[in-house]
Amino acid sequence: MQAAPVRHVRANPIPSVTGALRAMESLLLSGGQRTARRNAWSAVLEDRRRAKDRVEAQHVLEAAATRTSQAT
């Protein structure tokens, strides 16, 4: 009978890139700067979402206009 292979488990998992960046951020920036950066990034994501919604609405309107023009 063979013994089960030994597995080495890290006590401290390797930090993710995001975690490492946040750690660097906390060392380099004051609290207000961190908040401002996060707010700016949230605004960027919201702008992207609105732009995507505008494109989808434009496609719906164009499809409706095409159907209307074909019906007449």
Side-chain angles (χ1 to χ4, degrees):
M1 187 162 77
Q2 291 182 338
V6 177
R7 293 185 184 202
H8 297 283
V9 178
R10 290 182 185 267
N12 296 325
I14 298 172
S16 66
V17 173
T18 303
L21 290 174
R22 287 192 189 225
M24 290 296 296
E25 174 189 62
S26 67
L27 290 172
L28 298 173
L29 301 177
S30 70
Q33 288 173 321
R34 274 196 309 273
T35 300
R37 189 193 61 77
R38 287 196 181 121
N39 288 344
W41 183 244
S42 293
V44 167
L45 295 177
E46 183 64 21
D47 287 347
R48 288 178 181 176
R49 186 194 61 77
R50 279 196 296 264
K52 180 182 170 203
D53 290 347
R54 276 194 304 274
V55 169
E56 289 174 0
Q58 181 180 1
H59 288 234
V60 168
L61 290 172
E62 288 172 353
T66 302
R67 277 186 255 135
T68 303
S69 65
Q70 290 176 353
T72 56

